[in-house]
Amino acid sequence: MAVIPVDVAGAPYEVRIGTGLLVNLAGECGARLRKRRVPVVTDANVHKAWGETIEGALRQGGHEAAWLILPPGEASKSWDQLAATTDWLLAEEVERGDHVLALGGGVIGDLTGFAAAILKRGCHFIQLPTTLLAQVDSSVGGKTAINTPAGKNLVGAFHQPALVLADLATLDTLPQRELKAGYAEVVKYGLLGDAGFFEWCKANGAAMLAGDAALREYAVAHSVAAKARIVAADERETLGLRALLNLGHTFGHALEAQTGFSDRLLHGEGVALGMVLAARFSAARGLLAVQAAESIAGHFAAIGMASEIASLGLNCDGPALVAHMLHDKKMDAGVLPFVLMKGIGEAFLAKDVALDEVAAFLDGELAR
Ligand code: NAD
Ligand code: GLY
């Protein structure tokens, strides 16, 4: 098992990564579980795959699982499901000192974390991430949110979990497509700050995705350690450091919006394409070698992910994609900062990017 500390001021916590953590859930949580009934928020897919394991593990520790089982999918990050969750937690008489368990991917983690942030002005929660994306990114760092008709993640709070238990066994029941989508966030850590890790991904990514347990532990632990360093240094994203974690996200978000935040393009798939676009845009600006940008596209193609937006059949032009960026929550006094690259592992925040320039670039990519 790997243990990665997240040294945020005032409330440091651990991310434990290993196989079989959920089977020993009560032992891993220890005295954090103060009562017999333990509130667990999850979605129907995850409950089907892991519900019995959780029940057995809690029973072994003298507890009983109280379940809130939400519909799977991004649509659950809504005001309605937030209200349903907080109402349920209140009915369960959850107190500030209690810990709510969030068992699932980024959707359940973001929603449950936000509910915990506002319940009685804040109660504890424990992340039990069951997707690769959630294990390497969303369960760590305390960003919680729901979506509104105005856009994704526009209402939320910073609220750190008390503990993260990333059980690698959960990845065995995750659909391959979801696994690959999460892998984009693994590659991200290499591209933004660690060229050696990108080389590791190129050499080991396929075997890791195919199920090699040691490679999975290395990939998740290395990614979490990278995120933990960034979050500890810039928890509230005020120093321009945490913003680097958005590499590929501004482009990717526009693609997700254009495809209606649907199954046509998963978040991680949008991030992979977005990182290819950020790299090619950096190359077009003379910042990054074309060959380096193409090595990123080549790696995603090699593991069977889309690497060309022309293949998406978007039926729109560059300005239409840019229009989706205008309401980005990173917009600052009319300037949209872009995470660009000076090299593999050398991402930086560019605040001099004109959206016309981006639109023209995207027209070229759509016609590629
Ligand atoms: P998700 O939570 O929707 O899970 C993907 C799918 O896999 C769902 O259908 C789910 O039911 C299913 N699933 C989950 N675990 C499973 C398992 N072990 N076995 C079988 N099926 C399983 O999606 P995601 O990709 O984990 O998360 C995406 C969300 O994360 C987005 O809302 C995004 O905004 C958010 N996010 C948040 C942060 C953050 O820092 N808070 C970072 C990145 C992404
Ligand atoms: N996923 C971006 C962040 O946590 O800051």
Side-chain angles (χ1 to χ4, degrees):
M1 179 172 75
V3 180
I4 312 289
V6 185
D7 286 323
V8 284
Y13 58 97
E14 282 181 355
V15 182
R16 300 182 198 152
I17 299 147
T19 300
L21 296 176
L22 292 185
V23 173
N24 184 32
L25 181 60
E28 293 292 339
C29 293
R32 291 178 187 85
L33 305 185
R34 309 186 305 170
K35 298 175 180 165
R36 193 177 66 81
R37 268 175 83 80
V38 176
V40 191
V41 183
T42 191
D43 74 29
N45 293 336
V46 180
H47 182 260
K48 193 170 169 207
W50 292 94
E52 275 183 29
T53 303
I54 297 291
E55 287 195 0
L58 288 177
R59 210 178 302 121
Q60 240 177 19
H63 301 284
E64 175 197 358
W67 290 103
L68 177 63
I69 304 168
L70 299 173
E74 190 66 33
S76 284
K77 277 174 58 172
S78 65
W79 282 113
D80 282 355
Q81 295 298 2
L82 178 69
T85 304
T86 48
D87 284 348
W88 178 78
L89 292 171
L90 292 171
E92 283 292 322
E93 299 182 359
V94 170
E95 298 171 326
R96 282 178 168 178
D98 293 335
H99 290 73
V100 181
L101 307 191
L103 174 75
V107 165
I108 291 298
D110 281 12
L111 174 75
T112 310
F114 189 31
I118 59 177
L119 191 90
K120 300 182 177 174
R121 299 203 180 92
C123 71
H124 303 300
F125 78 117
I126 294 174
Q127 290 270 22
L128 307 175
T130 62
T131 64
L132 182 57
L133 182 138
Q135 295 188 350
V136 300
D137 191 358
S138 64
S139 67
V140 180
K143 279 190 181 175
T144 73
I146 57 165
N147 307 323
T148 76
K152 257 191 83 170
N153 296 328
L154 291 182
V155 175
F158 285 98
H159 187 54
Q160 299 290 346
L163 177 68
V164 182
L165 301 175
D167 189 337
L168 299 167
T170 60
L171 303 181
D172 293 340
T173 59
L174 190 65
Q176 267 293 316
R177 186 179 173 200
E178 295 287 352
L179 195 65
K180 283 185 183 172
Y183 178 66
E185 303 280 8
V186 173
V187 173
K188 180 183 79 176
Y189 294 108
L191 298 182
L192 74 86
D194 186 346
F197 188 53
F198 181 55
E199 288 305 312
W200 183 93
C201 288
K202 285 197 286 185
N204 299 291
M208 189 277 285
L209 289 167
D212 185 296
L215 295 178
R216 279 190 179 173
E217 182 166 322
Y218 181 83
V220 175
H222 196 88
S223 300
V224 168
K227 179 150 187 183
R229 278 194 299 275
I230 292 172
V231 168
D234 185 15
E235 183 185 356
R236 297 277 167 139
E237 205 165 305
T238 49
L239 306 176
L241 190 58
R242 186 162 183 170
L244 299 181
L245 292 172
N246 293 319
L247 176 61
H249 283 58
T250 302
F251 286 110
H253 186 268
L255 301 173
E256 282 184 89
Q258 186 63 31
T259 47
F261 296 102
S262 67
D263 281 358
R264 270 181 74 193
L265 189 72
L266 302 179
H267 174 72
E269 294 169 338
V271 170
L273 284 160
M275 292 191 294
V276 171
L277 293 173
R280 285 186 180 154
F281 186 69
S282 302
R285 289 190 133 205
L287 294 163
L288 179 72
V290 171
Q291 204 183 8
E294 292 316 310
S295 73
I296 301 168
H299 180 51
F300 286 124
I303 59 140
M305 289 184 78
S307 59
E308 302 296 333
I309 58 169
S311 72
L312 295 180
L314 291 179
N315 202 18
C316 72
D317 59 8
L321 288 176
V322 164
H324 293 301
M325 299 175 181
L326 296 177
H327 304 291
D328 195 297
K329 62 185 173 309
K330 295 181 287 297
M331 188 71 85
D332 186 19
V335 174
L336 182 58
F338 276 79
V339 185
L340 299 183
M341 300 170 70
K342 289 180 190 151
I344 303 277
E346 291 179 77
F348 72 102
L349 210 52
K351 296 190 175 173
D352 63 343
V353 175
L355 291 177
D356 290 353
E357 188 188 348
V358 178
F361 164 76
L362 288 172
D363 274 334
E365 286 295 312
L366 287 162
R368 210 176 158 94

